Amino acid sequence: MTPDPRNETVVQQVFCDLPFPAYRWQLIAHASVYGADAVTMSKLHRLPLRRYTHCEDIAATIVATQNVRPRPRRYRPMTIPMNVPQRSLIVSVVVD
């Protein structure tokens, strides 16, 4: 896949004044303050958790993760034990 030149220009505009290296949470916070749209924010949320050294690194990672489908989460069924005795909650209140 060829990198989209618009990705790099948008990344340059949004993160030009951010001090690098920066963590993913800093990128997301900076983009939300900048007023990034929902598509850009979802791209930033898909970035791996690590430190990014410069704008080109962010743009390359966005291109690499753009077409990656998220893994489905596996949910375990919750089992409720039936023979556990119920205990009442005792709360003591001290009034002066």
Side-chain angles (χ1 to χ4, degrees):
M1 178 176 193
T2 60
D4 189 5
R6 291 176 294 168
N7 277 339
E8 193 160 337
T9 57
V10 169
V11 167
Q12 291 283 345
Q13 289 174 354
V14 174
F15 301 116
C16 65
D17 58 342
L18 183 68
F20 284 99
Y23 289 102
R24 184 184 84 157
W25 69 267
Q26 291 171 314
L27 302 176
I28 293 170
H30 190 75
S32 67
V33 168
Y34 184 81
D37 60 342
V39 174
T40 305
M41 293 303 289
S42 69
K43 287 180 183 181
L44 291 175
H45 279 283
R46 276 189 256 148
L47 292 176
L49 292 172
R50 66 178 180 94
R51 253 177 140 177
Y52 295 90
T53 55
H54 45 78
C55 290
E56 293 82 19
D57 188 18
I58 299 169
T61 309
I62 287 174
V63 169
T65 60
Q66 203 164 21
N67 292 328
V68 176
R69 295 180 66 186
R71 290 183 1 192
R73 294 184 179 175
R74 296 184 181 186
Y75 294 103
R76 294 182 182 167
M78 185 177 185
T79 57
I80 301 172
M82 300 307 283
N83 16 351
V84 177
Q86 296 290 326
R87 293 187 182 177
S88 60
L89 178 64
I90 300 173
V91 179
S92 62
V93 177
V94 178
V95 179
D96 288 332

